[in-house]
Amino acid sequence: MTNNENLHFYVSCPPGLEPMLAAEYKPLGLVRVKLKKDEENQVIHTIGEDTGGMEFEGPLEHVYLANLHLRTASRVTVRLGEFKAITFAELRKKASKLEWAKYLVPGQKVSVQVTCHKSRLYHSDAVAERILGSIDDHFSASGKKMEKSPEGQLILVRLVNDNCTISLDSSGDLLYKRGYRQAVAKAPLRENLAAGLIMATGWDGVSPLVDPFCGSGTIPIEAAMMAQHIAPGINRNFRFSNWPAYNKVTWNEILDNAKKQIQKDSPPLFGYDRDAGAIEMSKANAARAGQKDHIQFVCQAVSLLESPSSSGWIVTNPPYGIRVSENKDLRDLYARVGTLAKQNFTSWHFSVLCSDDQLIANMGLQKPEKTIHLINGGISVKQVIYIL
Ligand SMILES: C[S@@+](CC[C@H](N)C(=O)[O-])C[C@H]1O[C@@H](n2cnc3c(N)ncnc32)[C@H](O)[C@@H]1O
């Protein structure tokens, strides 16, 4: 494949973070697919309408850029083909004609994931079997059969209204796995969600940022990486590096460029937690992220929190749980946090992630400037952002 060939690829992100993803992709020069056009060829599907991701078109190097730089992304998948299929024979025949050799070598490990919706072919295991067969057909001259394995190249098949779309995962491990967080405290945030929370507050990257309930340190570490322009994927591998179409020279140029963008200066960043074990984990995670000297982690209960400067940002996710509104300790904790915020942090930006409206109300603050609906660990949550 030449580097200029246009691919369609899809970047998924946690639902609710689409506006942050939209803000991120533009400076990278990525190009959104004009998803729908009306009779006059006018685009009618615009940014903000997709949930959980966006579709792009561009050369393979854009796939490298998306994987390396997008802080809010979960995964990047490249579309291999799209066709109508009503019978298994048609599915196998059409799929066998796709350009598998750009992404796979005969006999390698693969894992096929199928979803079927409103289609005549609705048995997902049978669809997966035909897709595997179609790859064997494609490589029949090699005499090798593909090996089914959960660690293999992920192939995603979607059948909707008898239309089959086949895509390949380019990321490997999900993109929130930056590699630095090996130690986790209770209820850790995914790194891409933490980055999205910070972006949503409009943090300027130079003012102080405080997380009074830092757990394993995800929010301050993501903030440090953002402030220093460290690409989130700089220390990890991606699945696309196994592809026959992979261009090592282009990738190395992109990586070198990302390294040149790194800035040494970091704003004052603070992480507190009352749990000594959590603080040790935060420090170990920060060290792995190269941020040991850029974040002050201190074992301290929130009741002792003081403002380190006259303005700044608090971005945090205090404990909440599922039936917490019945929990008096948590209600008291939120009331204390609200009082502290009002007393010690006048004119600060204050962002809290919480699942429970009652707890948010217990902080006794005025109406938030902004509310964002998200999912964290399978629970519906809200990010409420105030200017104190
Ligand atoms: C939901 S977790 C934060 C997770 C964190 N964002 C991460 O990514 O790992 C909440 C944290 O608040 C801490 N915590 C609970 N009560 C506290 C208090 N009164 N003062 C300070 N920290 C507290 C817990 O020890 C826990 O680590």
Side-chain angles (χ1 to χ4, degrees), residues 14-17 176 181 186-194 197 218-219 316-322 352-355 372-383:
L17 291 190
Y176 71 84
R181 207 177 63 183
K186 266 181 267 168
L189 280 180
R190 288 189 169 179
E191 293 84 330
N192 59 345
L193 185 57
L197 295 179
T218 324
I219 292 174
T316 195
N317 91 294
Y320 45 83
I322 300 174
V352 172
L353 186 76
C354 183
S355 62
I372 299 175
H373 296 266
L374 299 154
I375 312 272
N376 181 32
I379 304 175
S380 287
V381 289
K382 271 182 191 171
Q383 179 185 18

Side-chain angles (χ1 to χ4, degrees), residues 181 184-190 211-219 272-275 278 300-303 316-320 333 336:
R181 207 177 63 183
V184 286
K186 266 181 267 168
L189 280 180
R190 288 189 169 179
D211 180 356
F213 299 93
C214 73
S216 37
T218 324
I219 292 174
Y272 302 97
D273 202 290
R274 69 168 178 195
D275 183 319
Q300 178 184 289
V302 74
S303 45
T316 195
N317 91 294
Y320 45 83
L333 178 68
R336 211 171 318 133

